[in-house]
Amino acid sequence: MQTVPFSPDQASSFAGEVDALYGFLWALTIVIGGVISLLILYFAVKYRRRNEDEIPRPVRASHRLEAVWVGVPFVVAMGIFVWSAGIYYRMYRPPEEAIDVYVVAKQWMWKFQHLDGHREINELHVPVGRKVKLTMTTEDVIHSFFVPAFRVKMDVVPGKYCTIWFEPTKAGRYHLFCAEYCGTSHSGMIGWVDVMEAPEYQAWLSGGAAGGSLAATGEKLFQQLACRTCHKSDGTGRGPMLEGVFGKTVQLANGQKVTADEAYVRESITNPKAKVVAGYDAIMPTFQGQVSEEQLLQLIAYIRSLAGVQGPAPQGGASPGGQQARPAPAPAQMKQSQQ
Ligand code: CUA
């Protein structure tokens, strides 16, 4: 069902808002452009030169008229600014209760990792009517995540996490594009977002993810890289204890404070000397180049799980392969996700 001609489906909670703003800008452009064009034609005829030596009467300035043509566009422009800033503000501030999906872009594909361990390429499964937050990065150049039907687009920049969120309102399959020229096969860097009804989504989730949850994969990696040697769980190690850290404020050696979010954990792994925790020496070696972007996200998911931050139910959904008891969702949350 196309609600606006020449535009994609309206399939997210933002779609209506963005279309309304866009429609208003169109209408305003047509009205102002039309009125000015017609006036030019009308005045050109009305005030045309009627004989060779005609001299026009002098024009006197009108302050009132000037005030109107300055005042009205000012109010209209500020109105557009406030309106669009409101939409922008909501779009780029993901809600707490959103389902987390981690995204790694590379030439030329989209890789998705769900908290329960499901991994997908160029295909993203999400439930209808739930908020979904994407934490995205790229292995190589700048890409841009664009789902026209959701009216969301976000550049994905190397070396940092970019987030975007959406709430699909209609089940279906929607095109996903890369909207930033990124090399030879840029035009082939496309995929689909599958928006599923709750029961189908549950069925898809219960299909099981090989290798357990994302946090469990991260834990294995944590062991392999021998992170435990220093980051002991009782706090006696040479590095800070990581239990309960995620999402909290961390006191740094230089006196500053930071929130332990995805970006901070990522930086602490790739560039450990950038933000050293107060009371510890800058002795950790960098893991830049040793862990891929996807593995970084797995480690983050693990550190996140150590703080009991699990994300909402559907992603922590029953994953029979998950050998870690930690991310198991509470029964109440499971019910909620089936509504
Ligand atoms: Cu990736 Cu264009």
Side-chain angles (χ1 to χ4, degrees):
M1 178 190 64
Q2 285 209 335
T3 39
V4 182
F6 308 114
S7 92
D9 270 350
Q10 291 185 331
S12 86
S13 57
F14 288 129
E17 290 186 72
V18 172
D19 286 354
L21 176 66
Y22 200 61
F24 177 77
L25 292 175
W26 260 101
L28 194 70
T29 307
I30 290 167
V31 167
I32 292 179
V35 167
I36 289 175
S37 307
L38 289 175
L39 283 178
I40 288 173
L41 289 175
Y42 174 73
F43 289 147
V45 173
K46 183 170 182 201
Y47 298 109
R48 69 187 183 278
R49 203 175 196 193
R50 283 158 215 263
N51 65 56
E52 278 297 301
D53 39 44
E54 184 181 345
I55 296 165
R57 271 180 295 143
V59 181
R60 222 176 278 138
S62 158
H63 289 308
R64 198 176 295 171
L65 191 61
E66 283 183 23
V68 169
W69 81 51
V70 171
V72 171
F74 176 77
V75 170
V76 171
M78 290 315 284
I80 294 170
F81 167 70
V82 171
W83 183 1
S84 54
I87 297 175
Y88 183 90
Y89 185 86
R90 266 170 288 132
M91 226 178 222
Y92 292 96
R93 226 149 281 256
E96 287 279 304
E97 72 275 21
I99 296 169
D100 273 289
V101 178
Y102 292 116
V103 185
V104 177
K106 66 172 280 197
Q107 291 168 319
W108 288 277
M109 64 178 79
W110 296 100
K111 296 188 282 189
F112 300 96
Q113 297 189 103
H114 297 256
L115 285 186
D116 78 325
H118 272 91
R119 302 170 74 163
E120 316 185 73
I121 288 178
N122 292 341
E123 186 98 20
L124 172 63
H125 288 81
V126 291
V128 72
R130 296 291 306 262
K131 298 177 172 82
V132 180
K133 172 188 169 190
L134 305 181
T135 302
M136 311 189 284
T137 190
T138 155
E139 280 179 25
D140 36 51
V141 299
I142 301 179
H143 303 273
S144 185
F145 183 92
F146 181 33
V147 183
F150 296 167
R151 311 289 192 273
V152 293
K153 178 154 84 173
M154 179 52 120
D155 277 9
V156 185
V157 181
K160 63 176 284 196
Y161 290 127
C162 309
T163 58
I164 189 93
W165 77 278
F166 52 82
E167 181 181 338
T169 49
K170 234 169 51 168
R173 248 165 98 74
Y174 304 102
H175 245 309
L176 152 68
F177 295 96
C178 175
E180 183 74 59
Y181 182 70
C182 55
T184 317
S185 300
H186 155 72
S187 61
M189 194 169 160
I190 49 180
W192 295 94
V193 180
D194 278 285
V195 178
M196 311 169 92
E197 297 291 351
E200 294 161 43
Y201 181 67
Q202 284 304 322
W204 178 79
L205 271 186
S206 61
S213 72
L214 197 60
T217 314
E219 181 169 17
K220 267 180 239 154
L221 192 58
F222 196 80
Q223 304 292 0
Q224 274 168 28
L225 295 168
C227 309
R228 266 280 170 249
T229 322
C230 295
H231 296 286
K232 295 204 168 93
S233 52
D234 57 3
T236 59
R238 291 186 297 164
M241 168 180 143
L242 302 176
E243 276 73 6
V245 164
F246 196 92
K248 300 280 166 16
T249 303
V250 177
Q251 179 71 52
L252 300 181
N254 64 8
Q256 290 177 335
K257 286 180 179 169
V258 287
T259 303
D261 56 5
E262 280 96 347
Y264 169 74
V265 177
R266 182 187 192 284
E267 187 186 49
S268 299
I269 298 170
T270 57
N271 182 16
K273 297 193 173 35
K275 295 193 175 74
V276 179
V277 176
Y280 291 90
D281 296 324
I283 51 169
M284 176 169 157
T286 173
F287 284 82
Q288 179 90 54
Q290 294 182 49
V291 278
S292 68
E293 290 295 344
E294 280 170 282
Q295 290 175 321
L296 278 169
L297 288 164
Q298 291 159 7
L299 287 171
I300 289 170
Y302 173 57
I303 291 167
R304 204 178 130 134
S305 75
L306 290 177
V309 186
Q310 292 167 6
Q315 293 305 304
S319 96
Q323 55 279 73
Q324 298 303 314
R326 200 171 289 109
Q333 284 176 314
M334 287 299 286
K335 278 211 199 78
Q336 186 190 21
S337 70
Q338 279 156 358
Q339 279 165 6

